[in-house]
Amino acid sequence: MFDTVCVGAGLIGGVQAALLRRSRHLPRPKVLLTDGARRPTFKSTLTKNIRQIAVNPGSRQLLQDVGAWDKLGNSPWAVHKITVWDAMGHGGLEFESKHEENPIFHMTEVPAISAAGVDAADDAGVELMFESKLQNIIVPNRFNQTIQDTDYVHFEIKEEKYETRLLLGCDGANSSVRKAAGLSSLSKNYDQRGFVCTVRAENVGDNRTAFQRFLPSGDVIALLPCEEDQLSIVWSCASSKAKMLEKLEEADLIAKINEVLVIDRTPSLIKQIHGSLSFIPKSIGLKTEMTVDPPRITEILSPTGSFPLGSALATNMVAPRTAILGDAAHRVHPFAGQGANMGWRDVELLTDSLERAHLSGIDYTSHLSLSKYEKVALIEHAAFMSGLEGLKQLYKTNSTPFVLARNVGTMFVNNNSALKDIFISRAS
Ligand SMILES: Cc1cc2nc3c(=O)[nH]c(=O)nc-3n(C[C@H](O)[C@H](O)[C@H](O)COP(=O)(O)OP(=O)(O)OC[C@H]3O[C@@H](n4cnc5c(N)ncnc54)[C@H](O)[C@@H]3O)c2cc1C
């Protein structure tokens, strides 16, 4: 019998398992971390892995608290500035960290963080089972305080039967735990894929600036620094285009990426308006256009690949003795670099709920304890995701009045440092 079973040792599961064991407020629970895949291992090489993600300062702190961050050594790459600009106009945004020691985010390799999370869980005394897929999960119909055998969560691994007081689904977008618990999810398929690769580039300076460009038809390309002269490319585009990019020869792919970084698709009406009316904002001291000198890609260093993109939010995140976290509960478009960061936020919110329940003398596996987590997490994620969706729609449109409106909007935001501070703090 386990106190808690974390299903899935991706980016979220290992960290959740480690935090439960390290909690000073819970009675040292017996925790199992299990995954259908092999135990993640990682060797650092000169060229960074094809899959890298941006880790915000809040998540970095959590990873530090559970002992995972230090295992990454010097490999995380600090990013101090973000430049966002539009291929259809003069608008753009620049965010910059105020202090050298407080970067906006760190780029890290996905296999490295998964491995560090599992190693931290191992150090904390979590039991580990790999190549062990959870099957035949039976979630009880209700939480019963005066526990009967049938009130635990039952499951099988390799045809052996187990039970647990609490089951945590960190098992990704196709979560078996979510399905077994009957938790529904509202989802949207963008028919887009995220094309990814790691490249070498010149014109990067100290390579501490991330670039993101919104292109016509809803494409977004991000260049994320990850080494002195290396960038991780994430190009979100129609699925057919991503497949085409994957097939290109190196020279053609380099040319294609460099082209979209400089291409100007500003409608002629906007050029005219900008030419004749920009003296108005200038007269009150506003900067009316951004000149961006993006990096130039010179070499493709990694294999290329692409991942399906979509957005989803579970309508409920808990069931009797069961909760879901990370991509099992929500998925977002990668242009904001927040998917895993939202999952690590779940880890904090859930652990906080369990600890508060236990400190108040309530069974921390009870419905009362779990529903507090659900309430806070759903409110936070729903608000954030609707903001992201709005932004995505705003940049998807090519219609001239909308393009003009967003150019004016971004110009005002870019001139307002207080507003930009709010954006940065929300992303942290
Ligand atoms: C192109 C792209 C770029 C991204 N960039 C960023 C970024 O910059 N910043 C960011 O925060 N996020 C980013 N994300 C999102 C991020 O990758 C995901 O949010 C994150 O990987 C989710 O982690 P997870 O642990 O919830 O799920 P997963 O990583 O999917 O892990 C789930 C694990 O569960 C295991 N599993 C599944 N079913 C079972 C079962 N029945 N039994 C046992 N094990 C099981 C799987 O083997 C897997 O190991 C990006 C995503 C994409 C596609």
Side-chain angles (χ1 to χ4, degrees):
M1 157 73 76
F2 292 99
D3 291 312
T4 306
V5 172
C6 297
V7 190
L11 291 178
I12 309 305
V15 176
Q16 177 64 81
L19 189 62
L20 288 176
R21 284 286 295 179
R22 283 175 161 258
S23 166
R24 279 182 283 116
H25 303 300
L26 293 175
R28 226 126 152 103
K30 182 173 155 67
V31 180
L32 170 71
L33 173 65
T34 173
D35 200 297
R38 285 191 180 166
R39 180 173 179 158
T41 52
F42 185 73
K43 263 204 200 98
S44 190
T45 56
L46 224 50
T47 299
K48 293 285 176 91
N49 188 273
I50 174 176
R51 280 220 58 203
Q52 299 184 44
I53 60 161
V55 176
N56 72 27
S59 303
R60 186 190 52 183
Q61 186 60 54
L62 172 67
L63 293 165
Q64 233 152 20
D65 292 345
V66 299
W69 189 256
D70 289 347
K71 295 183 187 296
L72 301 171
N74 292 329
S75 69
W77 189 260
V79 175
H80 293 280
K81 190 174 168 188
I82 307 175
T83 296
V84 181
W85 83 120
D86 190 340
M88 297 186 69
H90 309 272
L93 293 166
E94 278 176 325
F95 301 94
E96 199 159 1
S97 61
K98 294 214 162 64
H99 305 287
E100 179 79 3
E101 64 277 15
N102 294 329
I104 302 177
F105 61 84
H106 280 87
M107 283 305 287
T108 52
E109 294 163 275
V110 168
I113 316 191
S114 299
V118 170
D119 290 352
D122 201 358
D123 292 350
V126 170
E127 291 181 39
L128 305 175
M129 277 193 208
F130 284 93
E131 298 177 67
S132 303
K133 204 172 167 140
L134 227 73
Q135 284 170 321
N136 299 332
I137 304 165
I138 301 171
V139 171
N141 290 329
R142 67 198 169 99
F143 175 80
N144 188 354
Q145 193 103 38
T146 52
I147 201 95
Q148 312 285 321
D149 274 0
T150 49
D151 295 323
Y152 293 123
V153 179
H154 294 258
F155 60 90
E156 287 177 21
I157 294 176
K158 294 180 181 160
E159 290 171 19
E160 201 154 322
K161 293 185 191 315
Y162 295 89
E163 51 189 15
T164 178
R165 293 175 65 218
L166 180 61
L167 181 72
L168 302 181
C170 313
D171 50 347
N174 291 321
S175 170
S176 309
V177 174
R178 189 183 64 227
K179 288 172 198 155
L183 300 172
S184 53
S185 170
L186 297 173
S187 61
K188 184 170 177 178
N189 187 346
Y190 294 125
D191 190 24
Q192 275 197 333
R193 295 180 75 85
F195 168 83
V196 292
C197 61
T198 304
V199 301
R200 196 184 305 286
E202 52 187 32
N203 193 34
V204 292
D206 64 357
N207 209 17
R208 300 290 175 181
T209 303
F211 292 86
Q212 178 150 280
R213 190 163 210 218
F214 288 92
L215 303 165
S217 320
D219 283 20
V220 188
I221 186 164
L223 286 72
L224 305 155
C226 55
E227 262 295 336
E228 273 169 22
D229 60 352
Q230 291 180 28
L231 301 166
S232 166
I233 303 272
V234 182
W235 185 342
S236 309
C237 56
S239 301
S240 52
K241 189 193 265 184
K243 291 285 170 200
M244 179 275 287
L245 291 172
E246 279 184 68
K247 286 186 194 135
L248 287 181
E249 295 293 329
E250 180 176 8
D252 296 334
L253 180 57
I254 291 173
K256 200 88 194 152
I257 297 173
N258 284 330
E259 181 193 334
V260 296
L261 295 177
V262 294
I263 200 167
D264 180 7
R265 286 281 161 78
T266 312
S268 53
L269 180 64
I270 294 186
K271 281 186 180 157
Q272 282 168 22
I273 293 173
H274 187 264
S276 51
L277 294 181
S278 64
F279 73 93
I280 302 174
K282 273 184 192 157
S283 68
I284 53 168
L286 298 184
K287 205 172 140 190
T288 58
E289 63 186 84
M290 259 176 53
T291 318
V292 179
D293 187 14
R296 269 185 307 280
I297 314 309
T298 56
E299 198 182 341
I300 308 290
L301 296 171
S302 71
T304 60
S306 73
F307 298 87
L309 305 181
S311 120
L313 181 61
T315 45
N316 294 93
M317 291 169 73
V318 303
R321 297 191 176 279
T322 308
I324 51 174
L325 304 90
D327 275 20
H330 40 69
R331 270 172 83 205
V332 290
H333 195 283
F335 83 87
Q338 289 298 321
N341 288 301
M342 288 167 70
W344 287 316
R345 181 75 181 131
D346 291 339
V347 170
E348 288 177 327
L349 294 174
L350 175 64
T351 310
D352 185 60
S353 265
L354 303 183
E355 288 176 340
R356 279 172 194 272
H358 184 69
L359 289 173
S360 327
I362 300 167
D363 183 341
Y364 68 86
T365 64
S366 69
H367 191 64
L368 188 61
S369 161
L370 299 181
S371 60
K372 288 214 166 123
Y373 155 66
E374 177 184 66
K375 192 171 160 200
V376 187
L378 277 181
I379 291 174
E380 216 176 271
H381 296 327
F384 184 60
M385 286 173 71
S386 58
L388 282 189
E389 193 56 31
L391 208 57
K392 193 173 173 305
Q393 291 306 327
L394 184 66
Y395 275 98
K396 198 176 168 188
T397 177
N398 293 347
S399 121
T400 303
F402 273 100
V403 175
L404 180 62
R406 81 177 177 231
N407 269 272
V408 173
T410 48
M411 176 190 75
F412 277 107
V413 174
N414 202 39
N415 279 280
N416 186 327
S417 54
L419 210 52
K420 288 201 287 185
D421 286 350
I422 294 173
F423 283 129
I424 290 206
S425 67
R426 180 57 190 85
S428 305

